[in-house]
Amino acid sequence: MPRRGRSTTVGKIAQLCQARRASEIRMLGELLRREQRADPREGAYPQPARDGSTPR
């Protein structure tokens, strides 16, 4: 019966890839949380005028 799981070369490579994906997902989650906690006025896009006039 062949070996299976993380004891094989393929299993070790898969373990590294899984760890890297988990790390990237964790970093993205932290970045999103930081952006959500930031002041909403910071870096906000300017809102266009609603009355239809354009500044000159």
Side-chain angles (χ1 to χ4, degrees), residues 6 12 41 44 46 53:
R6 293 182 176 152
K12 290 177 183 176
R41 289 170 281 165
S53 63

Side-chain angles (χ1 to χ4, degrees), residues 36-48:
Q36 289 174 347
R37 280 186 298 207
D39 188 355
R41 289 170 281 165
E42 262 183 47
Y45 294 105
Q47 298 297 321

Side-chain angles (χ1 to χ4, degrees), residues 27-55:
M27 289 182 343
L28 285 173
E30 290 174 5
L31 179 65
L32 285 172
R33 278 190 292 278
R34 258 186 266 133
E35 287 180 358
Q36 289 174 347
R37 280 186 298 207
D39 188 355
R41 289 170 281 165
E42 262 183 47
Y45 294 105
Q47 298 297 321
R50 294 187 181 200
D51 60 355
S53 63
T54 57

Side-chain angles (χ1 to χ4, degrees), residues 3-38:
R3 293 187 308 165
R4 302 177 74 181
R6 293 182 176 152
S7 61
T8 63
T9 302
V10 173
K12 290 177 183 176
I13 293 170
Q15 182 181 10
L16 289 173
C17 291
Q18 174 66 26
R20 184 176 299 136
R21 279 194 304 270
S23 175
E24 290 173 353
I25 291 169
R26 192 176 307 114
M27 289 182 343
L28 285 173
E30 290 174 5
L31 179 65
L32 285 172
R33 278 190 292 278
R34 258 186 266 133
E35 287 180 358
Q36 289 174 347
R37 280 186 298 207

